[in-house]
């Protein structure tokens, strides 16, 4: 396709899998349910016509905490992230060093690649998000500087293994970026996060950076957000300072898309591609291909066509227990994105 289109990542899990994950028992039955969910997800995504697919994060506990699975040096006392509907998510706290990932994203990538001939992209969590697990009071015998050195090494390893395995693209999820401006309106925390993530990206060549991307949104969990009230105008100028080739931007649910598109036009660099969200994952109404087409044509008035792509606003189920959207709705929305992007492409390149 002349206008690339890619998913963000997560797809709602089957009801049977969610029940097994949340039940005390697991073992062999859970392993089987995981495998079936991945197979079914890959097959369904292929049927949507999507030229690039993912495993739908069917076996991740969440987009943010998969590297922490299996670790014993954690306590359930970390930062609480509040959503507009009143529910919250809490990060764990590190209790001792050294810090090492318990699981790397390449495991998910390898499993998916075995079951499809299509290009597979892989999402990873940002170093800036994981930096929040270090306690404010410190850890005896393990300084924050030592932790950050370990964290940067682990995040690089997570990405590099995926590139070496042949990932079509490696997408860093950076949803805490917009949230940081809610916690610190001065922008100091955001600039710190940008700097931390660039320390990872700068370990890769310019060519490798073109295969890296960053996804941002105001959160999307149980059809609620944590930072949708933060103006993109305060966020995007710093965002485009990240040293990657692709930016996946929530946009369909924005109240003033044209305002955001004008900001993207102003700050997007020549070697960067803006994948604009044309699917509102928090809205149960399934977009038509014509609606998607119009959103792409609208974006093309501001973004150079050779720097324009389409995506969904967010993953459909970033946490394993999120059942606010059905699998059927998610696949129908993705199909509309693919078909609508094709219609817009035919119009733009006629």
């Amino acid at each position: 396709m002349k206008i690339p289109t890619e998913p963000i990542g997560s797809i709602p899990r089957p009801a049977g899998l969610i029940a097994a994950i949340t039940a005390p028992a697991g073992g062999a039955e859970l392993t089987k349910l995981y495998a079936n969910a991945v197979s079914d997800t890959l097959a369904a995504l292929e049927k949507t016509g999507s030229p690039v697919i993912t495993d739908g994060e069917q076996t991740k506990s969440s987009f943010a905490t998969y590297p922490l699975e299996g670790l014993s040096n954690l306590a359930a006392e970390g930062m609480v992230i509040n959503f507009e509907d009143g529910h919250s998510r809490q990060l764990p706290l590190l209790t001792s060093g050294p810090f090492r990932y318990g699981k790397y994203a390449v495991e998910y990538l390898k499993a998916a690649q075995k079951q499809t001939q299509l290009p597979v992209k892989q999402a990873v969590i940002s170093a800036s998000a994981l930096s929040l697990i270090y306690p404010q009071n410190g850890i005896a015998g393990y300084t924050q500087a030592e932790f950050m050195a370990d964290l940067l090494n682990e995040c690089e390893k997570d990405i590099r293994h995926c590139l070496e395995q042949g990932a079509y693209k490696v997408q860093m999820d950076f949803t805490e970026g917009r949230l940081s401006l809610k916690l610190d309106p001065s922008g100091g925390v955001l600039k710190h996060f940008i700097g931390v993530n660039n320390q990872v990206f700068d370990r890769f060549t310019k060519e490798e950076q073109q295969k890296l991307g960053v996804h941002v949104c105001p959160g999307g969990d149980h059809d609620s957000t944590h930072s949708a009230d933060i103006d993109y105008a305060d966020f995007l100028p710093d965002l485009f300072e990240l040293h990657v080739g692709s930016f996946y931007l929530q946009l369909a649910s924005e109240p003033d898309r044209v305002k955001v598109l004008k900001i993207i036009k102003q700050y997007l660099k020549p070697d960067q591609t803006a994948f604009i969200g044309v699917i509102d994952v928090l809205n149960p109404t399934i977009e038509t291909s014509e609606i998607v087409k119009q959103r792409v044509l609208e974006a093309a008035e501001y973004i150079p066509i050779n720097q324009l792509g389409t995506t969904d606003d967010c993953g459909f189920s970033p946490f394993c227990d999120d059942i606010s959207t059905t699998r059927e709705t998610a696949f129908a929305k993705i199909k509309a994105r693919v078909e609508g992007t094709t219609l817009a492409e035919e119009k733009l390149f006629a």
Side-chain angles (χ1 to χ4, degrees), residues 44-98:
L45 284 172
E46 287 188 0
K47 289 180 181 179
T48 66
S50 181
V52 178
I53 61 175
T54 77
D55 70 346
E57 301 188 351
Q58 298 298 286
T59 58
K60 278 185 180 178
S61 55
S62 84
F63 79 102
T65 58
Y66 70 87
L68 308 180
E69 292 177 15
L71 297 185
S72 58
N73 54 340
L74 298 171
E77 303 168 358
M79 176 180 174
V80 175
I81 300 171
N82 296 310
F83 287 78
E84 290 180 349
D85 66 352
H87 87 278
S88 62
R89 297 286 184 177
Q90 186 172 26
L91 293 174
L93 272 188
L94 192 69
T95 58
S96 64

Side-chain angles (χ1 to χ4, degrees), residues 35 38 53 57 59 143 167 174 201 220-221 240 244 271 286 313 341:
V38 171
I53 61 175
E57 301 188 351
T59 58
T143 67
F174 183 45
F201 296 139
D221 184 35
F240 289 118
V244 297
D271 61 345
I286 298 169
D313 270 4
T341 301

Side-chain angles (χ1 to χ4, degrees), residues 89-137:
R89 297 286 184 177
Q90 186 172 26
L91 293 174
L93 272 188
L94 192 69
T95 58
S96 64
F99 174 70
R100 299 289 185 271
Y101 278 20
K103 182 169 286 191
Y104 296 91
V106 71
E107 294 182 35
Y108 310 115
L109 177 62
K110 286 179 179 178
Q113 288 174 326
K114 291 177 181 177
Q115 300 184 58
T116 183
Q117 297 300 310
L118 289 178
V120 181
K121 71 181 289 188
Q122 182 60 53
V124 300
I125 190 57
S126 65
S128 56
L130 290 178
S131 72
L132 299 171
I133 70 171
Y134 189 85
Q136 289 186 346
N137 295 331

Side-chain angles (χ1 to χ4, degrees), residues 297-308:
L297 295 178
E298 177 185 63
E301 294 179 19
Y302 302 93
I303 302 171
I305 298 177
N306 65 337
Q307 292 179 267
L308 176 62

